[in-house]
Amino acid sequence: MDRAALADFLRSRRAGLRPEDVGLPEGARRLVPGLRREEVAALAGMSTDYYVRLEQSRGPQPSEQMLSALARALRLTSDERDYLYRLADHNAPPRTPLDTHVAPALLRVFDRLEETPAFVLSSLGETLAQNRLGAALLGDHSRFTGLARSGVYRWFTDPSEREVYPVDDRATQGRLQVAGLRAAFGAAGPRSRAGTLVRELRKVSAEFAEVWELQDVATRFSDHKTLIHPELGRIELDCQALFTEDQGQTLLVLTAAPRSEAAEKLALLGVVGQQRFAHN
């Protein structure tokens, strides 16, 4: 691990960003250009002390998960991301349709979506980024690790995952989840992460195995969703999806009709965030 080169690279990438580049308010006048260290740390989900030590050439070797978070926080291109991994003495992730590195151009669009729930999803249903309203609506997906990072896996192994949909919609939603996974499996092959996910799900879920045999293939999201929030109840939302060219990632945006009850509920979510509403 080249600590000095890693520190230099992190400092240079941080200095090249402005708050508006990552969806942050500019705030008070800055004495030096670029983001503050604490802002990068917050974007990457790490402590400020840990990030400061990396920039001072005295930090421990970052894990691959930490490097992925730093690459996303600093809006690195794929080439810059690979260079970051090599400086930290890790192999760069393969560039396939299952690559979880979010392109800066896609993140720029995502960063400007503040008034409606938005997510960046991988083709395996992993939440790569979610904004504040997205987390308030569907919960913080950053807490999941391993296979559970995939929404498809959680759908067939965690009953609470289905509670966000009305009972009558759950069978259709399950088929859509599996159809999307089959598309990813077809693109990446049986030895990919998609193949691993399919094999594990067939072991642990008879329901998944049954739906998998239907041979459905689809990458489109439904145009309209009815979601159930634990405090606000049913919310009728329109769903727009923007796919990357290789179909490997999707920017998913949920919007409500103007002046509708759903719009009022989203506005309330914007005020309270993920805090639980007080019960009488």
Side-chain angles (χ1 to χ4, degrees), residues 176-203:
L176 288 172
Q177 296 264 18
V178 176
L181 177 57
R182 184 174 286 279
F185 177 84
R191 296 186 178 181
S192 66
R193 290 193 301 117
T196 299
L197 187 56
V198 170
R199 287 190 293 274
E200 291 301 314
L201 278 170
R202 294 184 75 175
K203 290 179 186 177

Side-chain angles (χ1 to χ4, degrees), residues 35 41 80 198 203 261:
L35 296 180
E80 290 170 334
V198 170
K203 290 179 186 177
E261 180 183 4

Side-chain angles (χ1 to χ4, degrees), residues 256-274:
R259 297 175 297 280
S260 65
E261 180 183 4
E264 294 177 358
K265 291 181 178 181
L266 286 185
L268 183 55
L269 277 178
V271 173
V272 301
Q274 297 179 62

Side-chain angles (χ1 to χ4, degrees), residues 14-20 22 24 30 32-40 43 73-74:
R14 177 171 63 84
L17 289 173
R18 299 294 182 269
E20 59 268 25
V22 296
L24 295 175
R30 295 168 184 251
V32 295
L35 296 180
R36 299 186 176 98
R37 290 188 177 100
E38 59 267 27
E39 291 171 333
V40 174
L43 289 168
L74 293 169

Side-chain angles (χ1 to χ4, degrees), residues 66 123 159 220 251:
M66 194 65 74
S123 58
R220 294 183 60 84
L251 173 59

Side-chain angles (χ1 to χ4, degrees), residues 115-251:
E115 297 181 358
T116 195
F119 308 82
V120 177
L121 305 176
S122 76
S123 58
L124 300 185
E126 300 157 321
T127 300
L128 307 180
Q130 63 181 150
N131 65 5
R132 187 176 63 89
L133 268 179
L137 179 64
L138 297 180
D140 181 8
H141 291 171
S142 66
R143 70 184 188 278
F144 297 114
T145 59
L147 292 175
R149 291 187 62 215
S150 167
V152 189
Y153 186 84
R154 297 196 305 273
W155 183 268
F156 289 97
T157 60
D158 182 357
S160 67
E161 188 74 11
R162 306 186 180 201
E163 293 176 358
V164 71
Y165 287 93
V167 173
D168 292 344
D169 294 348
R170 293 175 186 174
T172 298
Q173 181 63 24
R175 288 188 63 166
L176 288 172
Q177 296 264 18
V178 176
L181 177 57
R182 184 174 286 279
F185 177 84
R191 296 186 178 181
S192 66
R193 290 193 301 117
T196 299
L197 187 56
V198 170
R199 287 190 293 274
E200 291 301 314
L201 278 170
R202 294 184 75 175
K203 290 179 186 177
V204 301
S205 173
E207 180 189 2
F208 173 84
E210 180 179 349
V211 179
W212 181 255
E213 293 305 318
L214 296 176
Q215 302 289 325
D216 292 340
V217 185
T219 57
R220 294 183 60 84
F221 289 80
S222 56
D223 296 328
H224 188 79
K225 289 182 180 290
T226 300
L227 301 178
I228 301 177
H229 188 271
E231 304 292 344
L232 298 178
R234 295 169 69 97
I235 306 178
E236 302 284 339
L237 298 171
D238 292 315
C239 175
Q240 287 82 36
L242 174 64
F243 292 90
T244 55
E245 185 175 355
D246 64 1
Q247 301 284 304
Q249 295 178 8
T250 307
L251 173 59

